[in-house]
Amino acid sequence: MNLTRLNPKSAWPWRHSIRTALAVTVPLAIGLLVGQLEASLLVALGALLNSVKVRSDPYRARFRSFLIIVPIAMTGFVLGALVAGHGPLTLMLLIGLGLVSGLISGYGATYSTGAMQMLILAVIAAGHASGSIWVPPLLFASGALYAALLLAIEAAFDRRMPERAALAQLFHALAQLARSAAQPAQEKSAASLATPLEQQRRHVTDAMLKAYSGLLQTRLADEGSTPETDRHAVVLASADLVFSGIVAGGFDPAELHGIAHYLDEIATAVRKGHGRPKRPADLPEASGLGGRVDNLADSLWPDTVPPRPARRARAKAAAAPVPDLATRLRALAARLALGQDVVVSALQLALCLGIAFAVQDILGGARSYWIPLCVVIVLKPDFGSVFVRAVQRSLGTIVGVAIGVVLLTFIPKGWWLLASMGVLGAVIPAAGQRSYAMQCAVLTPLVLILIDMTVPGATVDFGPQRLVDTLIGSAIALVFGYLVWPRDPGTQILASFTKAMSASAAYLRAAAAPVPADEAELPASRSALLMATMAAYSSLSNVRTTLQRAIAEPPPASREAAAWFPVVVEAERLCDRITRLAQQNATGAITLDPAAVEPRVAVLKLLGAEAPAKHAPVAEPGKPAADGDAAFREIDLELDQLTRMLEPAR
């Protein structure tokens, strides 16, 4: 069930669909007109590989990724052509290139994508050598440049569209959270072990992280803060205050429904680029949650131009002392150092590539490089579970081959077949949003038609061979890249959980910190609390992601993940209690004893330790707690519950 589960439906990415359809069809149409289909195939390949993935980060970040991915990919084409035709030496060099590709993947998602394209193009170049070494990579680069041009045209119409879409998604999620909070006490879902309110809180956390990611990307591009990014940061800080207020609770259901309606109106206005929506008449004029939503709207549509602190920030950066050469070299070495997991993954990739090339040499056949290509695509741990990707790719390919055979049988080669490629290209982005299997089911017939278009003469049915090659490649990746290696999912889960508990401990300390009496110190205090809030919730989100990947795998990974799920749900409830404490502390509703904070912080750190540790009760049963301890009663209950649950989970 987990392997075949689809992601929730979302808005059709029609801009991306148009770009992908044009990226595939226009180069082939030109090739068809001028009689250069072989060259147009490489151009279409460069455009397709750099257009398939649906991305929501800022446009400038996407253009920077082109500058990293394309040169790395071109290197693969050149190296593959250079080592082609040398028999066993070629195989050894390609396996070595696979090792290098796996190591490059450790430097981030962009480098990982470039390394995968490098290896794909190296395999194609080595198995399908042409007369020139430089012409194919230049044709591929021209296709990537064409994809960048299509993206630039899209950005010219609305360069802030990705940021606005992320904010609108966040505000809609906040509206749903308010509606869930307005409902009576709800039962836990058997599937997720969480109430509807807690499930919706996860959606808000994910949307908040996505919006913050876009802000960080923009700030990196600007090399500091700008009025636009400063305003974006204020908007997110205001949204976090609304989130914290809803989680803290204590509001009238009617007011929460009014807040939800107002947030939906704000989200729609932000997404469409409209002006500030009218405040609902039935929403109470209060300084509570309604006032926070008003502050959010004020930050989105300010009456005055925000200050420009960018120059001051850059001036301070220029005045800072420049580190010496030795310090910079040490910092560079630390950034380039790779962890053990990255090295092991690279070795697994090299091993599977060697086996795939051996099988390819034994089986032979036309364009038999499909087997190692399948290994390269499946064996990418940073793209998700190897087991899940192997199974889903096989399932998607079976469906895709059937679609491809039908299209190639009933549609004659030429313009009508090219039109069908445009339709498939337009569907790929939406299919990829639902699941990897659906993406493969659409991408496979597109590649089959792409190959058939470039083969002179009558239609050649490569479908059955592609299906067999895919099943063989997936089996190699599954057996030699996954099953034969010792796996201890508990170690990875525990490492993520340890970080989450450390972040929760820091969050508790920030939430219980005294509110500064000096108003000039309030912004810094609120900023520190905001960062601690996001760190705690995002670290728990990372644990959930790790569990969701493991739950679809065979035992023992799935059993281990199942044992950890209740623990993570309880840890999220603990964070909700800390959020409520932070709100009460900020409004002066409670008075906290500083001496009562550190024992609870110590308990959280013990819960995150690699060795399970019992802790003494923070308040003796049956004994009235001190006033300072009474404010922590809900947190104490969650801590004790979490401690009891951790023993069987570990």
Side-chain angles (χ1 to χ4, degrees):
M1 184 180 65
N2 281 290
L3 285 171
T4 57
R5 177 180 289 137
L6 300 178
N7 297 323
K9 284 186 178 180
S10 57
W12 188 286
W14 60 269
R15 292 182 178 88
H16 195 165
S17 294
I18 294 174
R19 280 196 290 112
T20 307
L22 292 175
V24 176
T25 55
V26 171
L28 289 174
I30 296 174
L32 198 61
L33 286 172
V34 301
Q36 293 289 334
L37 277 175
E38 190 76 20
S40 66
L41 170 63
L42 293 173
V43 178
L45 184 63
L48 177 62
L49 288 179
N50 290 282
S51 301
V52 169
K53 186 177 180 181
V54 176
R55 298 180 59 176
S56 58
D57 44 347
Y59 285 112
R60 280 186 291 184
R62 301 191 216 180
F63 289 126
R64 286 199 308 274
S65 69
F66 275 104
L67 298 177
I68 296 173
I69 293 171
V70 176
I72 296 176
M74 292 174 65
T75 303
F77 228 128
V78 174
L79 293 176
L82 287 174
V83 304
H86 298 291
L89 180 61
T90 298
L91 299 183
M92 295 300 296
L93 292 173
L94 287 176
I95 292 171
L97 188 60
L99 179 62
V100 173
S101 172
L103 295 176
I104 293 175
S105 299
Y107 293 113
T110 301
Y111 287 94
S112 179
T113 301
M116 184 182 71
Q117 291 190 17
M118 176 185 74
L119 197 51
I120 288 175
L121 296 179
V123 172
I124 292 176
H128 190 65
S130 60
S132 173
I133 293 178
W134 303 107
V135 171
L138 290 176
L139 290 172
F140 176 86
S142 66
L145 181 63
Y146 171 54
L149 176 63
L150 292 175
L151 185 64
I153 294 173
E154 178 185 303
F157 287 99
D158 189 358
R159 70 185 185 91
R160 292 295 179 190
M161 187 269 295
E163 292 93 326
R164 290 209 323 272
L167 288 177
Q169 182 182 2
L170 171 61
F171 301 152
H172 279 308
L174 283 171
Q176 286 298 111
L177 182 67
R179 291 190 182 92
S180 297
Q183 300 301 319
Q186 301 147 320
E187 296 294 329
K188 301 178 185 178
S189 166
S192 65
L193 304 177
T195 65
L197 175 63
E198 291 167 343
Q199 294 178 51
Q200 187 58 39
R201 186 249 297 129
R202 295 174 181 173
H203 295 321
V204 175
T205 303
D206 294 340
M208 186 80 77
L209 293 175
K210 183 177 179 181
Y212 266 104
S213 175
L215 173 62
L216 292 175
Q217 292 280 3
T218 305
R219 280 193 165 178
L220 286 173
D222 293 333
E223 298 180 355
S225 61
T226 65
E228 183 68 24
T229 58
D230 287 341
R231 189 175 73 86
H232 196 169
V234 171
V235 169
L236 292 179
S238 301
D240 182 74
L241 289 176
V242 176
F243 165 71
S244 300
I246 297 174
V247 171
F251 297 100
D252 181 68
E255 180 181 1
L256 287 171
H257 282 294
I259 291 291
H261 177 72
Y262 192 19
L263 285 169
D264 278 332
E265 292 289 325
I266 290 174
T268 302
V270 168
R271 181 173 54 83
K272 295 182 178 180
H274 294 171
R276 180 171 182 165
K278 185 177 180 181
R279 192 180 196 273
D282 57 346
L283 193 64
E285 294 283 350
S287 59
L289 190 57
R292 294 185 182 191
V293 180
D294 288 336
N295 290 336
L296 173 63
D298 291 340
S299 64
L300 286 164
W301 293 279
D303 296 328
T304 59
V305 178
R308 300 180 65 88
R311 294 179 182 175
R312 293 196 301 270
R314 288 171 182 169
K316 290 180 181 179
V322 179
D324 56 42
L325 180 60
T327 302
R328 284 183 287 177
L329 288 176
R330 284 195 296 270
L332 179 61
R335 292 183 62 184
L336 293 178
L338 295 171
Q340 179 182 353
D341 291 343
V342 175
V343 176
V344 170
S345 296
L347 291 172
Q348 291 173 342
L349 177 58
L351 171 64
C352 290
L353 266 182
I355 297 172
F357 283 126
V359 173
Q360 167 193 300
D361 189 57
I362 295 172
L363 296 181
R367 300 176 188 263
S368 57
Y369 52 73
W370 194 283
I371 297 176
L373 282 186
C374 183
V375 169
V376 171
I377 295 171
V378 170
L379 205 61
K380 295 291 290 180
D382 50 325
F383 289 174
S385 166
V386 172
F387 175 81
V388 173
R389 284 175 67 83
V391 175
Q392 289 187 342
R393 181 167 181 81
S394 299
L395 295 175
T397 301
I398 292 172
V399 176
V401 165
I403 296 173
V405 169
V406 171
L407 293 176
L408 290 172
T409 301
F410 293 100
I411 300 179
K413 185 181 292 188
W415 294 104
W416 285 108
L417 202 56
L418 185 63
S420 69
M421 293 178 65
V423 174
L424 291 171
V427 175
I428 285 176
Q433 287 183 334
R434 299 304 307 276
S435 77
Y436 180 59
M438 284 190 67
Q439 185 185 55
C440 291
V442 180
L443 190 58
T444 298
L446 178 61
V447 174
L448 291 175
I449 297 173
L450 193 65
I451 295 173
D452 184 74
M453 287 283 290
T454 60
V455 176
T459 293
V460 179
D461 187 5
F462 288 103
Q465 183 181 341
R466 294 290 79 82
L467 176 58
V468 173
D469 291 347
T470 297
L471 295 177
I472 293 173
S474 297
I476 291 172
L478 189 60
V479 174
F480 298 99
Y482 178 80
L483 294 176
V484 301
W485 294 78
R487 289 171 290 126
D488 184 11
T491 302
Q492 184 179 3
I493 296 172
L494 183 56
S496 299
F497 185 77
T498 300
K499 293 179 181 178
M501 289 296 97
S502 297
S504 299
Y507 182 29
L508 176 58
R509 186 180 281 119
V515 179
D518 187 355
E519 289 189 4
E521 299 178 3
L522 280 176
S525 175
R526 290 171 180 168
S527 177
L529 178 59
L530 175 60
M531 291 298 101
T533 304
M534 293 311 303
Y537 279 107
S538 64
S539 59
L540 286 171
S541 177
N542 291 338
V543 180
R544 266 194 292 114
T545 301
T546 302
L547 295 181
Q548 286 164 355
R549 287 181 177 178
I551 200 70
E553 298 188 2
S558 54
R559 286 198 300 265
E560 187 80 16
W564 274 95
F565 257 114
V567 177
V568 175
V569 172
E570 188 63 33
E572 290 173 331
R573 291 197 183 105
L574 174 62
C575 271
D576 290 345
R577 302 297 180 264
I578 297 175
T579 299
R580 183 175 300 177
L581 179 74
Q583 295 306 302
Q584 293 173 337
N585 185 37
T587 57
I590 57 174
T591 301
L592 299 178
D593 180 7
V597 177
E598 289 306 317
R600 291 161 176 85
V601 170
V603 169
L604 275 170
K605 290 183 177 180
L606 282 175
L607 290 176
E610 292 192 359
K614 288 284 186 182
H615 66 83
V618 289
E620 293 181 22
K623 181 180 178 181
D627 291 341
D629 283 352
F632 293 96
R633 184 173 289 113
E634 288 184 341
I635 292 177
D636 293 343
L637 292 174
E638 300 296 345
L639 284 173
D640 288 334
Q641 176 70 6
L642 193 57
T643 303
R644 287 193 295 269
M645 296 174 70
L646 273 171
E647 285 300 326
R650 284 172 166 170

